[in-house]
Amino acid sequence: MSKANITRAQLIEQLNLWGENHINAEQLQDWMVTHYDPDEVDIGRGEPEWVVEAMNIVMNEYEIAKTEKFRQENYQLAIDFIQADESKFNQTRHLFLQQGFRD
């Protein structure tokens, strides 16, 4: 039996739904909690290593952060991080982690 897989497109779709006010922060977090289980689900199967790492970081952050800390106006930073090429990985990770959430 093969493991379920979360694709980059599925994750970006959820982020866009939230960013465009189709779902709220709690619903986004619920999706992350329901789907993010690296022991049970493959994350980004077939994607380059840095994309898989970016997806894991994004899903983990939205799973564990308090929803009132989410900065919806900066949701695009998460998408940019997931879509970045390897040369922009560190830069986009920093922007997402520093500006994607309130302190």
Side-chain angles (χ1 to χ4, degrees):
M1 186 169 121
S2 65
K3 289 166 65 172
N5 179 49
I6 301 299
T7 66
R8 180 176 8 184
Q10 288 172 308
L11 179 53
I12 290 171
E13 177 184 11
Q14 292 302 309
L15 293 166
N16 277 321
L17 286 171
W18 174 55
E20 297 167 2
N21 290 308
H22 298 290
I23 62 174
N24 62 31
E26 289 79 17
Q27 290 169 309
L28 177 68
Q29 187 168 62
D30 286 347
W31 189 89
M32 299 296 172
V33 168
T34 300
H35 292 87
Y36 186 65
D37 186 349
D39 292 334
E40 302 290 326
V41 177
D42 285 336
I43 308 299
R45 185 185 313 137
E47 294 284 357
E49 182 180 327
W50 68 90
V51 172
V52 172
E53 186 173 346
M55 290 176 65
N56 275 286
I57 290 168
V58 167
M59 292 185 78
N60 185 61
E61 290 298 319
Y62 284 122
E63 180 184 45
I64 64 172
K66 293 185 185 324
T67 55
E68 58 270 13
K69 302 236 181 220
F70 292 13
R71 292 184 66 188
Q72 184 180 19
E73 68 275 14
N74 288 345
Y75 81 99
Q76 186 63 46
L77 294 173
I79 295 170
D80 292 347
F81 180 34
I82 294 164
Q83 293 182 320
D85 61 35
E86 189 174 17
S87 67
K88 302 274 189 201
F89 178 86
N90 288 328
Q91 177 185 359
T92 56
R93 178 183 62 196
H94 177 77
L95 288 171
F96 166 66
L97 292 173
Q98 294 301 313
Q99 298 176 24
F101 301 90
R102 292 176 183 81
D103 287 335

